[in-house]
Amino acid sequence: MAAAAPAAQPADDPVSTPDEALRRLLAGNRRFTSGHGRHPHQGLADLHRLAAGQHPFAITVGCADSRVAPEVLFDQGLGDLFDNRVAGNIVDDLLLGSVEFAVEEFGSLLIVVLGHERCGAITATIDAIHSGGTAPGHIGTIVDALRPVVEPVLDQPGDPVENGVRANVAAQVAALSARSTIISEKVHQGALRVVGARYDLDNGRVSLVA
């Protein structure tokens, strides 16, 4: 009988707290923006190692945008991040179940809700509000989900898209704990942290959103 495959282990030293997980991501982003990315464990051998199991230390809730790839902008590798990406980084029931799965199954320490500059989903929502019309096809579902978040900040000073992006990140961060007992209990225990962040398309920097 063939021996069982050994369990996969993280390629880097494991992080043990949510704050360490956040520091690792922000350090990776600094490497990315300075042009000193390590591009860690992204090869075929790493894929083979991970076939036995995964240990993502962080979960991302990001936007389905070709310019916002978490492993690239955080300079992480295969097995590091449990990515969830949908236009507008909206926490609906399906996405929430995916995040809860990672929290329960892998013990991930950090959830990052990642919005970004010039978000098309936010722009489409603002356009629909201003025009009084509807977005075509199933894009309307995205607009309908974002409308209650975006509409209240349209009269605030500053750029309306940027205001909408920040308001949406804050709303989705709040939704994760408010709608999930699994997440809220882990946060209360100090075993999990949920943060919001914004990605700047012009310079690649990720900054936390209060």
Side-chain angles (χ1 to χ4, degrees), residues 41 69 92 116 130 191:
H41 40 276
D92 61 8
H116 67 94
H130 284 162

Side-chain angles (χ1 to χ4, degrees), residues 24 27 35 92 95 100 102-103 107 130 135 153 156 165 184 207 209:
R24 177 167 290 189
D92 61 8
L95 189 141
E100 288 180 337
V103 170
H130 284 162
V153 301
Q156 290 183 356
V165 166
S184 62
S207 55
V209 174

Side-chain angles (χ1 to χ4, degrees), residues 42-115:
Q42 297 178 0
L44 188 58
D46 300 296
L47 186 61
H48 291 163
R49 170 180 56 81
L50 288 162
Q54 57 179 312
H55 302 271
F57 68 87
I59 302 161
T60 63
V61 177
C63 193
D65 189 296
S66 64
R67 302 163 294 181
V68 188
E71 279 79 8
V72 175
L73 61 95
F74 287 120
D75 193 31
Q76 301 299 309
L78 294 168
D80 289 333
L81 306 180
F82 193 86
D83 294 330
N84 301 269
R85 299 177 66 187
V86 64
N89 40 274
I90 299 164
V91 179
D92 61 8
D93 288 343
L94 285 172
L95 189 141
L96 187 57
S98 178
V99 172
E100 288 180 337
F101 174 79
V103 170
E104 286 282 274
E105 186 74 12
F106 309 124
S108 301
L109 298 164
L110 178 71
I111 303 172
V112 179
V113 177
L114 185 62

